[in-house]
Amino acid sequence: MDCNLRPYQEEVVQAALRGENSIIWLPTGGGKTRAAVYITKKHLETTANAKVAVLVNKVHLVDQHFAKEFKPYLGSTYKITAISGDSNEKDLFGRLVKASDLVVCTAQILENALINMEEEKHVELTDFTLLVIDECHHTQKESVYNKIMGRYVEKKVRKEGNLPQILGLTASPGTGGNRQLDKAVEHILQICANLDSVIVSTKNFTPVLRKVVPKPKKQYDIAEKRALDPFGDHLKAMMLMIHEFMPSTVSRSLREMGTQEYEADVVELEKAGVKNENRLISQCALHLRQYNDALLINDTVRMVDAFRGLDDFYNSRKTKLLDGTDIFLQGLFDENRVELKQLASNARYENPKLARLQRTLQEEFNNENSRGILFSKTRRGTHCLFDWVNSNPALQRVNIRAGILTGAGTGANHMTQNEQKETIKHFRNGILNLLISTSVAEEGLDIPECNLVVRYGLLTNEIAQQQASGRARAMNSVYSVVAEEGGREIRREHINEYLESLTAKAIDQVQQMSPREFRRKITELQQIAVMIRIQANRKKDERKQRYSPGQVQFQCRGCFLLVCDGEDLRKIENTHHVNINTEFERHYRAGGQVVLERSFEDWEPGRVISCRNCGKEWGMEIKFKRVVILPCLKIKSFSLKTPEGKSTPKQWKDVEFQVKEFDFIEDMSSRFPDLDLGN
């Protein structure tokens, strides 16, 4: 198959064809991936022992790039392999790379292979001659792209040779949240330094590009403010009762209810309660977060959705009342339940934003060939909107066939990767005509031309806004922002429009630098980055050695019960933290079986585990090597008691002691002392 390029694509591939590291900046729908296929083809034809890795940041993009772009154009001549977390072969990555000319994989898989020293699994950056980095604006801070490129830049600064050529692809590098031109320029230079690349865009063929990627018509669909909200008011009155139940100094520090700021405050409050072993405060904070979630849902979807969430939460806790705090909180909800339910079902007070959204959808779906994406902030929000669409007679009359698209994972509202693929397939072939999606559909997903993109109740940055509007690619398409008059969403959207134009100005300024000045800046930024990285790694190592494992005690975060210490823990495959002490089993109860879509080399999931005392979920059992069942712990479910006080780490990498690697023979013989392993 011939890989013909449009004139503007021809223009942006030139630097890469000369062997230079470059970032291609083209809008969504402008054909960045096709340009990358063309560069890859030329690279494979002209480079001795060429080996290419195409890196993506989301699993579903592995399949898409492989099946729709690289395989059709290069598959007949070259050996191409697609590897994602789903693939059973991912564990033999090193061997697969040796056997292939081109691999398409998630960045995490390459990162794992760079760290893993087993021969079958290990690769070096120098094994490749070209790295293609999709959505490369993510190459910053702690992202996996930046971990990979951090190693690359370090090798370059140390003047180690044979590094691969870099090709980055992005629709929007953004301004890094900066609103001044000079700061936005610094942000673009930093991304160029992180990718060791120049940034290229079309200068001579802008009109052609505009024709290929028409901008959608943007409209603000404004809903009037809710005149009366007795359901929301009742929730706030209940929250005030919880405030009064806590010491007055605590509740005074909380910001406005029903906002993200309030959520941030109660998250911090829960941590403080845990650190001080003050269960009254930690539990009140947890419950206040649930009420705040209900207010946020009441603000975006239906009252009944908000009520249902709270009702489910309190139903799940009924049997686990430990003390007076639990009895008060449960009693407060139970006493108000009937009234809340009645208020939630009163159509007079329904959310005006939903009525406005209904009109927008009706107008666009009058045309039977319409296709649309409705972006919502949270997974839960997408499920509520899906229920609303399906139970709305007016939307059913215009024949809306909706499906949900959210991120892959294992939680309650997550989708499996197969479910994602199925949904996208049904949308492509017209079985579905409306996708209700979180930000997962903003980036990279090759979705057929939509004539409607709606952003509903969203506060995001300019990158997400550009990505979303780029999904409306059909002729005469509409990009609608549904929001309340005078609301924060409108202000944010206007700021994003400004930042979008600022991004273009900043890139233009970087492109106008003399090559010498640009190189000087980039080299300086890279040297700083390497020094910071070395320093950070040193600090990380020091932090890991702060305590000996025996000095760190684990307490259940729900009831502060002491359940084990750091000596009992082992690490499997550097990611799973298991407790090998058989005594630990008396502290937990095992529940339902965990089902994961993909299979793993050495282990399989078992049952959910939770605290026998308070019911707090702790993680799950895993069956290791088909022989032994071990409890695998979620660090967020525990607080850690150390000689210098308590901590509430969010991730295992933040703990301040060294967790030993699991040694099958040694650890199993201590677990089963009567086994004679011939030692």
Side-chain angles (χ1 to χ4, degrees):
M1 224 164 133
D2 272 346
C3 185
N4 298 322
L5 297 187
R6 295 189 165 103
Y8 64 83
Q9 288 169 310
E10 291 269 5
E11 184 184 4
V12 297
V13 300
Q14 293 309 312
L17 295 179
R18 293 193 295 271
E20 295 171 31
N21 289 356
S22 60
I23 297 165
I24 291 178
W25 173 49
L26 283 175
T28 300
K32 295 180 289 298
T33 317
R34 187 64 47 84
V37 172
Y38 183 84
I39 292 163
T40 302
K41 182 171 184 285
K42 295 290 181 211
H43 179 88
L44 288 165
E45 286 166 1
T46 56
T47 310
N49 305 318
K51 200 165 289 290
V52 182
V54 178
L55 305 182
V56 298
N57 64 331
K58 294 200 174 106
V59 176
H60 52 253
L61 298 178
V62 173
D63 200 41
Q64 179 180 297
H65 282 357
F66 173 74
K68 295 200 68 162
E69 294 287 350
F70 287 91
K71 197 168 186 336
Y73 290 103
L74 305 173
S76 57
T77 323
Y78 300 101
K79 172 89 174 80
I80 306 179
T81 313
I83 313 156
S84 71
D86 268 6
S87 331
N88 293 330
E89 309 95 41
K90 73 176 188 297
D91 300 310
L92 305 171
F93 190 72
R95 194 200 291 174
L96 285 172
V97 166
K98 281 193 179 74
S100 312
D101 300 305
L102 188 154
V103 293
V104 184
C105 64
T106 52
Q108 191 59 55
I109 283 179
L110 175 60
E111 170 68 7
N112 294 350
L114 290 167
I115 297 168
N116 198 315
M117 286 304 150
E118 288 176 52
E119 194 182 338
E120 299 273 278
K121 302 179 181 183
H122 180 68
V123 296
E124 290 284 341
L125 280 174
T126 48
D127 293 342
F128 300 98
T129 54
L130 172 66
L131 287 186
V132 180
I133 302 180
D134 188 39
E135 307 291 356
C136 70
H137 50 272
H138 291 297
T139 312
Q140 45 179 324
K141 299 178 184 148
E142 288 294 295
S143 77
V144 64
Y145 280 164
N146 214 21
K147 285 179 185 164
I148 293 167
M149 284 309 298
R151 285 192 192 84
Y152 181 103
V153 167
E154 195 169 323
K155 283 178 184 296
K156 183 207 162 192
V157 167
R158 294 184 195 281
K159 301 204 165 21
E160 293 177 30
N162 291 337
L163 286 168
Q165 181 183 343
I166 301 292
L167 173 66
L169 309 172
T170 182
S172 172
T175 67
N178 298 300
R179 298 184 188 188
Q180 278 91 34
L181 181 59
D182 56 341
K183 291 276 185 243
V185 168
E186 275 173 36
H187 171 75
I188 300 296
L189 282 169
Q190 188 65 63
I191 283 183
C192 290
N194 294 351
L195 286 149
D196 193 40
S197 296
V198 296
I199 186 163
V200 293
S201 55
T202 181
K203 297 289 177 207
N204 306 321
F205 298 101
T206 317
V208 184
L209 178 59
R210 281 209 191 103
K211 214 169 179 175
V212 173
V213 188
K215 261 199 174 291
K217 174 179 144 242
K218 183 164 188 175
Q219 63 188 42
Y220 287 98
D221 293 333
I222 307 299
E224 73 258 28
K225 274 194 162 69
R226 209 178 201 150
L228 292 168
D229 181 15
F231 175 76
D233 294 342
H234 199 87
L235 289 177
K236 286 177 182 170
M238 292 167 73
M239 290 163 85
L240 283 173
M241 286 181 195
I242 300 176
H243 284 192
E244 280 162 21
F245 188 72
M246 298 190 293
S248 57
T249 48
V250 175
S251 50
R252 277 206 296 273
S253 66
L254 299 171
R255 283 173 284 182
E256 189 191 344
M257 295 173 190
T259 62
Q260 303 301 149
E261 290 79 13
Y262 185 88
E263 181 177 325
D265 290 345
V266 289
V267 166
E268 286 308 312
L269 186 59
E270 188 268 345
K271 276 191 214 160
V274 168
K275 282 180 183 166
N276 299 322
E277 282 192 36
N278 184 330
R279 197 164 181 278
L280 186 149
I281 284 183
S282 69
Q283 289 304 306
C284 286
L286 269 180
H287 287 244
L288 285 168
R289 185 172 179 182
Q290 294 292 328
Y291 280 100
N292 198 59
D293 276 353
L295 284 173
L296 290 167
I297 285 174
N298 178 48
D299 186 47
T300 41
V301 272
R302 296 171 301 181
M303 297 180 285
V304 45
D305 299 310
F307 172 75
R308 201 177 295 144
L310 269 181
D311 203 35
D312 290 348
F313 173 74
Y314 280 99
N315 272 336
S316 71
R317 302 179 69 90
K318 268 197 166 116
T319 56
K320 284 283 166 211
L321 307 182
L322 276 195
D323 58 20
T325 300
D326 289 350
I327 292 165
F328 164 74
L329 291 165
Q330 185 72 39
L332 178 66
F333 180 76
D334 290 346
E335 282 161 28
N336 287 274
R337 186 181 179 280
V338 172
E339 191 171 349
L340 280 175
K341 193 174 181 181
Q342 280 171 343
L343 288 170
S345 56
N346 189 334
R348 272 174 52 206
Y349 305 119
E350 202 44 276
N351 190 340
K353 277 194 265 197
L354 279 176
R356 181 60 263 203
L357 177 61
Q358 179 184 315
R359 283 217 308 280
T360 302
L361 292 172
Q362 275 176 289
E363 281 159 19
E364 287 305 317
F365 278 90
N366 263 329
N367 171 353
E368 61 189 46
N369 298 320
S370 279
R371 295 250 177 106
I373 304 181
L374 169 55
F375 284 109
S376 171
K377 184 168 179 250
T378 61
R379 288 192 186 94
R380 188 147 157 226
T382 60
H383 285 263
C384 297
L385 284 166
F386 176 74
D387 292 342
W388 170 73
V389 167
N390 285 339
S391 60
N392 184 309
L395 297 180
Q396 293 310 301
R397 278 198 294 277
V398 291
N399 200 18
I400 289 182
R401 303 177 299 281
I404 291 173
L405 186 64
T406 62
T410 54
N413 286 330
H414 287 73
M415 292 180 86
T416 64
Q417 277 141 1
N418 278 341
E419 286 169 341
Q420 281 186 341
K421 278 182 202 162
E422 277 298 288
T423 301
I424 292 161
K425 192 172 107 189
H426 290 332
F427 189 66
R428 283 205 178 108
N429 60 25
I431 294 171
L432 300 174
N433 57 11
L434 177 68
L435 278 188
I436 303 174
S437 176
T438 52
S439 61
V440 73
E442 283 170 356
E443 273 194 1
L445 255 190
D446 185 19
I447 285 173
E449 279 77 355
C450 295
N451 54 310
L452 174 69
V453 165
V454 183
R455 278 164 63 82
Y456 182 69
L458 285 180
L459 290 163
T460 54
N461 63 15
E462 73 282 9
I463 297 178
Q465 178 182 309
Q466 270 172 278
Q467 300 273 12
S469 78
R471 299 284 147 234
R473 292 191 212 162
M475 289 308 283
N476 308 319
S477 54
V478 168
Y479 170 78
S480 152
V481 178
V482 175
E484 191 178 88
E485 62 180 316
R488 299 163 70 183
E489 298 99 335
I490 303 281
R491 288 202 297 280
R492 185 68 237 190
E493 200 74 18
H494 287 313
I495 290 167
N496 286 343
E497 285 168 15
Y498 164 69
L499 293 179
E500 195 176 329
S501 62
L502 191 64
T503 303
K505 282 184 192 143
I507 291 172
D508 194 48
Q509 200 156 314
V510 168
Q511 288 171 336
Q512 283 181 29
M513 284 181 172
S514 71
R516 193 171 162 198
E517 170 69 356
F518 177 77
R519 274 288 139 222
R520 187 185 68 74
K521 277 269 195 217
I522 294 304
T523 307
E524 187 183 303
L525 287 169
Q526 289 176 335
Q527 285 167 340
I528 293 168
V530 169
M531 281 154 67
I532 288 171
R533 189 163 171 250
I534 291 168
Q535 193 58 26
N537 285 342
R538 202 170 286 151
K539 273 208 171 108
K540 206 159 95 185
D541 290 343
E542 280 168 18
R543 198 173 70 220
K544 276 270 174 267
Q545 312 298 336
R546 190 165 174 195
Y547 305 112
S548 69
Q551 289 179 297
V552 181
Q553 295 180 301
F554 279 62
Q555 288 181 299
C556 170
R557 196 155 168 166
C559 61
F560 311 139
L561 182 72
L562 275 173
V563 291
C564 65
D565 67 36
E567 287 285 7
D568 300 329
L569 297 176
R570 296 292 182 273
K571 188 160 63 164
I572 295 178
E573 293 176 355
N574 222 3
T575 44
H576 312 292
H577 291 73
V578 297
N579 189 314
I580 60 162
N581 187 339
T582 47
E583 283 290 291
F584 182 68
E585 287 165 20
R586 63 194 174 89
H587 293 304
Y588 71 80
R589 201 175 258 117
Q593 173 67 33
V594 175
V595 179
L596 299 179
E597 189 186 29
R598 57 190 206 213
S599 57
F600 301 88
E601 193 181 14
D602 285 332
W603 65 276
E604 54 194 81
R607 298 169 299 172
V608 176
I609 60 172
S610 51
C611 176
R612 195 176 277 278
N613 190 37
C614 72
K616 173 95 183 154
E617 195 188 304
W618 284 355
M620 65 174 174
E621 294 173 328
I622 63 173
K623 193 172 185 182
F624 188 60
K625 296 212 180 278
R626 303 213 171 128
V627 182
V628 59
I629 290 176
L630 296 164
C632 180
L633 308 184
K634 282 199 296 201
I635 189 68
K636 283 203 295 208
S637 302
F638 300 91
S639 56
L640 273 47
K641 212 171 187 173
T642 68
E644 288 174 38
K646 284 181 70 170
S647 66
T648 52
K650 235 175 154 170
Q651 294 174 302
W652 277 104
K653 66 179 174 61
D654 303 327
V655 301
E656 298 179 305
F657 68 97
Q658 199 77 45
V659 180
K660 290 180 201 150
E661 277 297 330
F662 184 75
D663 179 311
F664 195 82
I665 293 172
E666 188 186 317
D667 293 327
M668 286 304 91
S669 53
S670 69
R671 200 174 162 91
F672 304 112
D674 49 344
L675 270 185
D676 180 12
L677 296 170
N679 289 351

